Amino acid sequence: MTALIEIRDLAVTYGKGHAAVNAVKNVSLDVQQGESYGLVGESGSGKSTVLRAICGLASISGGEVRINGVPLKTPRDPAFYRQVQMVFQDPYGSIHPRHTIDRVLSEPLAIHGFSDAEARIEKALEDVGLGKGFRFRYPHQLSGGQRQRVAIARALILEPEILLLDEPTSALDASIQAEVLNLLDALRAEKGLTYLLVSHDLAVVAHMCERLLVMQHGACVEELPREALQSRAATQRYTQDLLVASEGFKAP
Ligand code: ADP
Ligand code: MG
């Protein structure tokens, strides 16, 4: 069976000459349809760059990415964005501060030529646990957790198959983090979504993902099933250090 997301020897270099940064080197992974796959590693290890390369925010310098067996087109076409959507860490930065939630959610629908915006916006708000009452509010009238729910609603409104989640709860208070992670879990089950989720937090990845790739300095360290984290059966020293460093790490 072809994996839904296939990444082969991906390389991303930012800048040129002396200023060049090899942010991602020879990263390969497969994500199966319906799976949640985690990328974990310390800050600067290249996790976000992998997601940015998939969705066209960073250019691919080597290797290949295929979605459903089809190599990515550059630039990505509208069909790609109907299939793949991204959720960023910072809901403050990713939602326009002077646009109502209605406008934030209307824009992708208008761009992709959907005519049933009204019904889709109401459904999307309901899906993320925000009622219709939020529709004409502004981002500053929402809490951080509510704003991240809006970002998730915006990502889901085109009914994509794949969500690329970049530290989706890292900017939130611990209690709110769990709520948003549980929401993402429920949405994946309900809609049959496939996740590629980035986190520096092993507990988040252990809770959310069936398999994970540990990254360091832009490269793969090892791929593990969730159970290996829970039983602390990492084979590589770097992963063992990460486990020790994540004090309070608890298997769910
Ligand atoms: P992570 O998400 O794991 O923290 P990133 O993918 O953001 O890591 O960054 C990987 C490396 O690429 C880091 O060394 C970072 O400084 C560098 N980097 C990220 N974005 C850029 C950019 N736009 N220009 C130059 N270097 C960058
Ligand atoms: Mg990052």
Side-chain angles (χ1 to χ4, degrees), residues 14 20 71 88 90 119 139 151 165 182 188 199 226 240 243:
Y14 292 111
F88 298 90
D90 178 13
L165 300 153
N182 289 338
R188 177 165 70 104
S199 180
R226 182 205 322 244
Q240 288 160 353
L243 280 165

Side-chain angles (χ1 to χ4, degrees), residues 99-115:
H99 290 178
T100 61
I101 304 313
D102 180 72
R103 183 157 171 200
V104 167
L105 298 178
S106 300
E107 265 168 6
L109 294 171
I111 290 168
H112 291 272
F114 285 86
S115 54

Side-chain angles (χ1 to χ4, degrees), residues 1-4 6 30-34:
M1 193 180 73
T2 313
L4 184 54
E6 294 170 282
D30 278 346
V31 186
Q32 303 300 328
Q33 201 279 325

